[in-house]
Amino acid sequence: MSATPQKNRASRRVLAAAAGLATAGALVAAMPAGAQDRQDHGHGHHKGRTVDVQLLSFNDLHGNLEPPAGSAGKVTETQPDGTVKEIPAGGIEYLASSLRTAREGHPYSITAAGGDMVGASPLLSGLFHDEPTIEALNKIDLDVTTVGNHEFDEGATELARLQNGGCHPDEGCYEKGKEFGGADFPYLAANVTNEKTGKPILKPYTVWKKKGVKIGFIGVTLEGTPNIVTANGVKGLKFHDEIETINKYAKELNRQGVKSIVALIHEGGAPASTSYNYDCDSSGPGDGISGPITEIAKGITPKVDALVTGHTHQAYVCTIPDPAGNPRMVTSASSFGKLYTDTTLTYDRRTKDIVRTSVKSAGAKNPKSANHVVTRDQPKANDMTALIARWNALAAPIANKPQGYISADINGRGSTALEKPLGDLIADAQLEGLAPADKGGAVVAFMNPGGIRADLVHKASGAEGDGVVTYGESFTVQPFTNMMNVVDLTGAQLVTALKQQVSGSNEASPKILQISKGLTYTLDMTKSGADRVVTDTIKLNGEAIDLAKTYRVAMNEFLAGGGDGFAALGEGTNKLVGASDLDMFNAYLAAHSTADAPLAPPAADRITVIQ
């Protein structure tokens, strides 16, 4: 997939002029408070030796143009007295305003993103194959983004269309007389190659230039993308090691005279606190950050000056030593446009490199960086309000149709529990839909936790009334429209699958399957690896699992393909393909709720957790 040259827009900074290539990308990094004061180093003149470049960044937008609802639309902030406060945040109208305000007074400002700009999107964007989100990112002057795993949900050909433009091959153009123009920013995919040609499917890097200042951006997604995307999405593609790929292209950029480099990495970590203002460099017991990005950061060449990361939907601004032992900034801005990161990169005109301290002084960070809340008490960006209204008018006939009724919030994405109320509800819907003999004869259903993209919120999102679940809301919970499968698995395979939740690739960060009613077991998190699943507690409808017996098991096609590290689930035989997960979910809501008798949140008491 070759990328077409970027559109010339007089208002935009020139990206990728040297290479003459362009792909789409959205990476935003924002500058910390006080950065304006330091900006007078250069202010567009060539007199000063150094110039402060503002890097605004964000990640994991997932097409959330409207403010995300419920707990998924809040960030936590630790107060001076140690208490924690929740702040409603996010929405493209507010993100655009935040970024535009942050850029004021900064002649050198770049906006970059850490991947998953699209995919798993709410109906407003997902119904139109994320064209509305790309249009919004163009309007907010995103300069560059890396691809994330969700950019591959619909395959490499569709990703190329998002970059290059053109109407959808099956559904055509959504607005009369208007052809989709594609992304004005490059999408970078340095570690994703075509299996046949061995060449990157999109541009591996791009160079931002202004008045002699040159900063290179290399973009990669996590090497494990094929394990978390449907097989069709990654067909014909090869995903390479993040460290090796970045180091290779950092050398190439250096040979071209580009000494200042930022890596955009769609892989992340988990800070010890979920508060966005947590000091990630705290050195107390249990403090700091863990997860894949810590090892990746330690292996990336010192030629790279800062890492903008994503994927884990966490908020952090940390320094992790590079291989030379020098501190290097590693940032992530939560998800859904709720935060942006503001980082100051001090560029030395003589060395053409970013100034980084060799020894970290007490309490100091260089470059300076901080996360900022995209608050909803600021003025909305009018152009974004108009964009949302335009697409909402097209989506309304489908989006506003009632599907069922709930008596209270049913939390999914926003739940921190291992067993989520909405997870139970989805699994029950799948079991009920596939239990009849002619539908597959399922006796148990599994749902992957990462496939639950939102909460079901009791408060009305529009004019439908409190407690009404609209099609738009149910779509936002399950936006992938995965086809349901029923397969034969032995009791032994079932037990192995449950153990794979907490072992192998899932040991460090467990993926707890959401289970249908009738299945119960104990999860002992004080133990390690597969031992966390207490085998003799696993029961189906009160009876111990018979390791030699065959069970009919319902799950979506992603899990049935062994996704998320569940190789045992991929061993199923006698597959029957049913309706989509979304259709089953909506059918269950319709069958089990009325305005007078709304559905109550499930108790979430199937898994006994020992912490």
Side-chain angles (χ1 to χ4, degrees):
M1 301 185 316
S2 61
T4 53
Q6 253 175 253
K7 299 171 191 145
N8 270 323
R9 291 201 301 173
S11 62
R12 288 187 64 75
R13 299 166 289 286
V14 179
L15 265 172
L21 290 161
T23 51
L27 159 59
V28 179
M31 203 166 158
Q36 281 176 309
D37 303 334
R38 301 189 302 278
Q39 190 63 37
D40 58 9
H41 287 312
H43 249 85
H45 302 295
H46 283 233
K47 292 173 186 172
R49 174 166 170 175
T50 63
V51 58
D52 279 352
V53 177
Q54 179 189 53
L55 176 64
L56 301 174
S57 56
F58 60 94
N59 50 277
D60 296 277
L61 180 64
H62 291 288
N64 278 263
L65 301 179
E66 294 176 298
S71 52
K74 293 174 181 168
V75 294
T76 54
E77 178 181 75
T78 301
Q79 306 303 298
D81 65 359
T83 59
V84 172
K85 176 173 137 187
E86 285 196 327
I87 304 170
I92 200 76
E93 295 158 298
Y94 303 111
L95 179 61
S97 291
S98 290
L99 295 175
R100 288 164 182 169
T101 302
R103 289 175 189 141
E104 288 173 8
H106 299 288
Y108 296 84
S109 182
I110 309 167
T111 299
D116 278 5
M117 293 296 99
V118 301
S121 306
L123 188 82
L124 177 61
S125 187
L127 187 64
F128 306 106
H129 295 275
D130 285 312
E131 290 180 22
T133 297
I134 298 296
E135 182 186 341
L137 293 172
N138 287 344
K139 286 179 184 289
I140 63 171
D141 284 339
L142 183 61
D143 284 308
V144 58
T145 185
T146 186
V147 294
N149 53 290
H150 282 283
E151 264 84 14
F152 294 94
D153 285 347
E154 295 187 47
T157 305
E158 173 62 5
L159 174 56
R161 186 183 76 87
L162 291 181
Q163 176 71 85
N164 303 326
C167 294
H168 193 270
D170 299 326
E171 296 172 25
C173 301
Y174 294 113
E175 294 177 289
K176 196 173 180 181
K178 282 179 80 172
E179 183 173 359
F180 173 58
D184 290 348
F185 49 89
Y187 257 112
L188 305 180
N191 68 330
V192 187
T193 57
N194 181 302
E195 270 183 353
K196 288 179 182 168
T197 66
K199 292 179 179 173
I201 61 162
L202 291 170
K203 191 169 159 48
Y205 60 82
T206 194
V207 180
W208 180 91
K209 294 179 177 181
K210 183 167 182 180
K211 295 184 179 176
V213 175
K214 290 193 291 188
I215 299 177
F217 288 85
I218 302 166
V220 298
T221 185
L222 69 155
E223 186 182 6
T225 291
N227 302 325
I228 53 174
V229 173
T230 56
N232 279 343
V234 294
K235 199 173 179 182
L237 305 178
K238 194 163 183 188
F239 292 77
H240 302 268
D241 182 84
E242 303 94 337
I243 298 171
E244 288 173 14
T245 303
I246 291 168
N247 290 353
K248 169 186 161 182
Y249 286 113
K251 273 188 192 168
E252 191 168 311
L253 282 165
N254 271 193
R255 284 197 299 270
Q256 294 173 14
V258 179
K259 306 291 186 189
S260 299
I261 301 171
V262 175
L264 311 179
I265 306 173
H266 191 71
E267 177 60 290
S273 164
T274 56
S275 291
Y276 82 89
N277 58 339
Y278 165 67
D279 180 3
C280 204
D281 291 341
S282 304
S283 54
D287 275 346
I289 185 171
S290 59
I293 199 62
T294 56
E295 292 311 306
I296 291 172
K298 289 171 187 170
I300 289 173
T301 172
K303 295 179 197 302
V304 173
D305 301 293
L307 315 181
V308 172
T309 72
H311 187 54
T312 55
H313 291 204
Q314 302 295 308
Y316 48 84
V317 174
C318 305
T319 52
I320 299 175
D322 68 17
N326 295 326
R328 179 167 55 193
M329 195 61 66
V330 180
T331 69
S332 174
S334 183
S335 63
F336 300 171
K338 292 179 288 190
L339 299 176
Y340 69 91
T341 315
D342 189 338
T343 303
T344 307
L345 302 172
T346 301
Y347 182 90
D348 187 321
R349 292 185 179 280
R350 198 174 301 168
T351 64
K352 299 180 181 177
D353 207 348
I354 301 298
V355 179
R356 286 204 281 140
T357 50
S358 55
V359 179
K360 191 177 170 197
S361 54
K365 286 178 181 173
N366 193 333
K368 292 205 165 71
S369 183
N371 274 324
H372 300 279
V373 181
V374 176
T375 59
R376 298 183 194 167
D377 57 3
Q378 63 182 312
K380 296 178 179 180
N382 292 334
D383 57 340
M384 295 298 156
T385 304
L387 180 148
I388 288 170
R390 206 179 87 236
W391 288 101
N392 259 335
L394 289 173
I398 297 170
N400 297 339
K401 196 175 175 192
Q403 302 298 312
Y405 304 85
I406 55 174
S407 63
D409 287 1
I410 304 180
N411 285 341
R413 191 80 195 177
S415 168
T416 55
L418 297 177
E419 180 185 354
K420 306 171 193 307
L422 190 48
D424 285 3
L425 181 63
I426 290 169
D428 286 352
Q430 295 176 352
L431 177 61
E432 181 169 296
L434 297 167
D438 62 336
K439 302 289 187 191
V443 295
V444 65
F446 292 129
M447 174 64 193
N448 55 308
I452 306 167
R453 305 306 300 185
D455 303 332
L456 278 186
V457 179
H458 184 262
K459 185 176 169 56
S461 58
E464 76 274 12
D466 289 351
V468 180
V469 180
T470 64
Y471 185 86
E473 289 164 342
S474 61
F475 181 98
T476 297
V477 167
Q478 292 213 275
F480 298 111
T481 348
N482 273 318
M483 302 312 289
M484 290 303 301
N485 289 185
V486 186
V487 298
D488 282 351
L489 287 171
T490 64
Q493 287 169 322
L494 272 183
V495 171
T496 300
L498 291 174
K499 289 182 176 289
Q500 285 171 345
Q501 299 175 109
V502 288
S503 62
S505 61
N506 293 330
E507 180 162 5
S509 181
K511 289 192 173 77
I512 304 305
L513 294 164
Q514 307 299 289
I515 54 176
S516 56
K517 62 187 175 192
L519 183 63
T520 55
Y521 69 95
T522 297
L523 198 55
D524 187 349
M525 297 306 284
T526 65
K527 295 182 177 170
S528 62
D531 290 341
R532 290 165 169 170
V533 174
V534 185
T535 308
D536 59 11
T537 65
I538 305 171
K539 291 186 168 64
L540 184 59
N541 301 321
E543 292 184 9
I545 295 287
D546 181 341
L547 299 185
K549 187 178 167 184
T550 297
Y551 295 85
R552 292 292 282 166
V553 183
M555 65 195 102
N556 60 42
E557 59 189 327
F558 170 66
L559 280 178
D564 267 353
F566 291 101
L569 296 181
E571 294 167 3
T573 56
N574 295 328
K575 180 168 75 173
L576 183 143
V577 178
S580 75
D581 51 8
L582 179 61
D583 286 346
M584 267 182 196
F585 186 49
N586 285 333
Y588 188 87
L589 291 172
H592 291 272
S593 67
T594 63
D596 296 328
L599 202 60
D605 56 1
R606 298 164 191 180
I607 306 172
T608 302
V609 180
I610 300 169
Q611 295 281 14

